[in-house]
Amino acid sequence: MVDNRYATALVIGSVLSLLATVYLSVAVGTPHWYQYSSPPVKRGDSNVSELIKEFIDGEFDEKTSRETMFRLNGTLGLWWRCIWVPSESHWFKEPNPKMETQCVSFTLPQQFSLKYKYLGNHSSEKDLLRTYLWRCQFLLPLVSLALVFLGVLVGVCACLCRSFTPTLGVGVLHLLAGLCTLGAVCCFLAGVDLLRQYSSPPEGVEGSLGWSLYLALISFPLQMMAAALFLWAARSHRQNYTRMTAYRVA
């Protein structure tokens, strides 16, 4: 028989865990972790069409991709990089062309590729710090989600076995998931700061944090609160069970 306090803690913890998982999943799948605000594209600028084609269809080059994002209100995510482009092919003939977002995903080899201190120059010194920060910001959210799903499986098994003991494990898994989420956000922010030191935005272009990053940041305290509730329920239930057993023996 589970006390109402413990049952309430489990329900609230499960809701918080669900919200955190949804927020983190949306954050991972959207490209708005960091965004650039650029001046309007000038009509008659033939170089813009070449930049768009190179960004979408060409081989990934960090320097060229970053310059294109500077000029076309680019956004950066964990899996995607996007630019704001005219939807019509003859946009330069119209006074106010209709704009749309074009996104390109990072391939798995690109996620694990080496970074260099001089962007686009593969013969320059390797930037191992930025390389591992990029890899961690890609891997840690996936590890966090995997830990939460493992916690769900443990919780389901606990319900089927009618045992309260595995709740402690569920709490520990959520605690580790929260730390992974926080680590991913910190790695991303550190990587962006290093990148800004090597290639600062030109005059008139402003960079800012996007809503996807804030969703990931919100999911961290939700996961930690869920972990605290699970751990408290498991520990309190065990202490209560120990006292009841001692009372019966006496």
Side-chain angles (χ1 to χ4, degrees):
M1 186 74 178
V2 179
D3 191 284
N4 288 335
R5 294 175 301 167
Y6 310 145
T8 303
L10 293 180
V11 171
I12 296 175
S14 300
V15 172
L16 293 175
S17 175
L18 177 61
L19 287 175
T21 303
V22 171
Y23 288 163
L24 184 58
S25 299
V26 172
V28 170
T30 50
H32 296 279
W33 283 62
Y34 200 81
Q35 56 195 15
Y36 297 100
S37 179
S38 314
V41 179
K42 297 180 180 179
R43 294 181 61 190
D45 192 346
S46 59
N47 191 35
V48 172
S49 298
E50 297 178 3
L51 287 175
I52 295 173
K53 184 177 180 181
E54 180 67 22
F55 183 87
I56 296 175
D57 301 325
E59 290 291 331
F60 173 70
D61 179 79
E62 193 174 24
K63 184 175 184 296
T64 305
S65 177
R66 186 166 170 79
E67 290 175 351
T68 305
M69 292 171 64
F70 284 157
R71 297 193 61 182
L72 298 173
N73 294 285
T75 59
L76 179 66
L78 301 184
W79 283 89
W80 301 90
R81 60 188 190 277
C82 302
I83 52 176
W84 208 38
V85 301
S87 59
E88 301 294 335
S89 58
H90 301 288
W91 62 273
F92 49 85
K93 297 181 180 179
E94 301 179 8
N96 295 306
K98 184 180 178 181
M99 308 296 286
E100 65 180 12
T101 301
Q102 288 280 353
C103 296
V104 180
S105 63
F106 291 105
T107 63
L108 200 58
Q110 289 170 0
Q111 295 280 15
F112 290 94
S113 63
L114 286 171
K115 307 296 179 185
Y116 299 88
K117 291 192 174 181
Y118 295 97
L119 305 185
N121 186 0
H122 291 188
S123 61
S124 64
E125 184 181 355
K126 297 176 182 178
D127 192 342
L128 294 181
L129 176 59
R130 200 159 60 85
T131 298
Y132 288 111
L133 285 174
W134 186 281
R135 293 175 182 178
C136 288
Q137 77 183 29
F138 162 69
L139 290 173
L140 287 177
L142 302 181
V143 173
S144 177
L145 292 172
L147 289 172
V148 171
F149 284 123
L150 180 60
V152 171
L153 292 177
V154 173
V156 171
C157 293
C159 292
L160 294 176
C161 298
R162 296 183 179 182
S163 173
F164 211 85
T165 304
T167 308
L168 181 63
V170 176
V172 172
L173 289 173
H174 277 77
L175 179 64
L176 295 175
L179 294 177
C180 288
T181 301
L182 180 62
V185 173
C186 292
C187 288
F188 182 85
L189 292 175
V192 168
D193 185 65
L194 286 174
L195 194 59
R196 192 188 300 114
Q197 294 178 16
Y198 300 144
S199 175
S200 58
E203 186 177 354
V205 177
E206 296 183 357
S208 60
L209 303 179
W211 58 265
S212 297
L213 184 139
Y214 288 115
L215 279 182
L217 202 56
I218 291 172
S219 68
F220 161 67
L222 293 178
Q223 288 174 327
M224 299 304 285
M225 286 188 289
L229 287 171
F230 289 135
L231 292 173
W232 173 83
R235 182 172 179 274
S236 299
H237 182 268
R238 183 175 182 83
Q239 289 179 342
N240 186 50
Y241 179 79
T242 302
R243 285 196 298 266
M244 291 294 294
T245 303
Y247 175 76
R248 290 175 182 175
V249 171

